[in-house]
Amino acid sequence: MSAPMEAKVKSVLSGDTLVLQNKNRQERTLSLAFINAPRLNNDEPGSFQSRDYIRKLCVGKTVRFSVLYTIPQKTGGASRDYGIVTLANGQLLPDAIVSEGWAKLRDDADRKAENPQSTELLERLEALEAHARADEKGLWATTQQQEIQNARELPDTKAFSEQYNGQPIDAIVERVLSGDRLICRLMVTPTNHVQTTVLVAGIKAPATARKNPSDGTSQPAEPWGNESQAFVEDRILQRGVVVRILG
């Protein structure tokens, strides 16, 4: 196990994977040891609730983490780190999410418990999972859960804008494209979500560095473009907000 390190949780990809950022804004992805959670990018059942549990716990907060083991990836030549996270209030991950039933132990978890600390953690997680399963928590629920419909494209943006014009809509900022342009998950109802690009009214921010999708060439950021994006990310990325559609 690596020595404990400190970082801020920039975002949560799913209930078992965090994006961490150090003081120099360098990023690394950390998956929580021994567990699997439903994939949010595939809208798997329970994936929103699983990610949301972790998101509310730690996005934007400073945590301490240690890497327990690393697994080479099949493509790209990179490796993925798996570890544990300690929140400022002393809560531990993956313990907390397993306890609430929003993640399950990996089938091959016992093969990664190669030292006493890992073995102790795995035994603790097995006990927590057994309790969550007995209590039918989270993914272990035997009653049918409400299925969340998540539209990633709006077939008629004009009609949507007219229908919800001026109304407050609870939302989560999924990405910050620039200081004035966001991708938001609009939670129109608890089970009806829409992901769409939202422009902040009344302002214009400088463009960030980007790639031209047609030929792959890179375009440099406009002056202060990346700084503007970082300013907004630090404050609202993956936070809950209220959006009002103006047009």
Side-chain angles (χ1 to χ4, degrees):
M1 183 170 71
S2 73
M5 293 170 275
E6 193 171 273
K8 185 181 76 172
V9 180
K10 178 181 178 181
S11 61
V12 178
L13 302 182
S14 62
D16 58 8
T17 304
L18 315 177
V19 177
L20 305 177
Q21 189 179 70
N22 67 16
K23 293 180 180 179
N24 297 320
R25 305 192 69 86
Q26 295 170 319
E27 296 178 12
R28 68 187 296 168
T29 300
L30 180 74
S31 293
L32 299 174
F34 302 131
I35 68 167
N36 268 332
R39 303 269 73 82
L40 186 67
N41 59 352
N42 295 332
D43 292 321
E44 294 177 359
S47 59
F48 174 77
Q49 297 92 326
S50 176
R51 193 283 298 263
D52 221 40
Y53 176 79
I54 295 286
R55 179 187 69 82
K56 291 175 179 177
L57 274 183
C58 62
V59 163
K61 298 177 182 177
T62 299
V63 300
R64 293 180 67 79
F65 69 98
S66 297
V67 176
L68 289 187
Y69 58 90
T70 300
I71 297 180
Q73 299 301 288
K74 294 179 180 178
T75 58
S79 296
R80 173 168 290 189
D81 294 332
Y82 291 79
I84 56 175
V85 172
T86 305
L87 307 183
N89 63 3
Q91 272 188 295
L92 298 175
L93 298 174
D95 304 52
I97 193 167
V98 172
S99 178
E100 292 302 316
W102 290 118
K104 298 181 179 182
L105 288 178
R106 297 171 60 96
D107 293 336
D108 61 352
D110 57 335
R111 284 186 260 168
K112 302 302 178 185
E114 298 174 345
N115 56 60
Q117 290 170 308
S118 296
T119 300
E120 180 184 350
L121 170 61
L122 181 56
E123 290 174 351
R124 191 166 72 236
L125 293 176
E126 288 172 340
L128 292 171
E129 183 179 74
H131 283 294
R133 188 170 190 170
D135 293 340
E136 299 183 4
K137 287 185 173 183
L139 302 174
W140 300 108
T142 54
T143 55
Q144 186 173 7
Q145 299 180 24
Q146 289 184 316
E147 184 177 349
I148 294 176
Q149 301 293 330
N150 180 38
R152 296 180 182 269
E153 291 184 10
L154 281 173
D156 190 337
T157 55
K158 185 174 183 293
F160 183 87
S161 175
E162 291 173 350
Q163 181 178 358
Y164 294 101
N165 186 272
Q167 298 181 36
I169 304 174
D170 289 330
I172 297 169
V173 178
E174 295 290 2
R175 287 181 60 195
V176 176
L177 302 177
S178 63
D180 60 355
R181 191 180 296 257
L182 317 169
I183 294 180
C184 293
R185 176 188 283 253
L186 305 178
M187 295 178 283
V188 180
T189 72
T191 58
N192 180 19
H193 298 181
V194 173
Q195 285 189 215
T196 188
T197 302
V198 173
L199 277 66
V200 182
I203 66 170
K204 184 180 188 305
T208 57
R210 58 203 183 279
K211 281 191 175 182
N212 188 327
S214 61
D215 58 13
T217 57
S218 296
Q219 294 179 272
E222 294 178 354
W224 304 106
N226 292 340
E227 290 83 355
S228 172
Q229 179 190 41
F231 180 90
V232 176
E233 279 186 341
D234 287 344
R235 287 155 179 79
I236 62 172
L237 178 62
Q238 285 204 344
R239 311 313 203 276
V241 299
V242 175
V243 172
R244 292 181 186 267
I245 306 296
L246 301 182

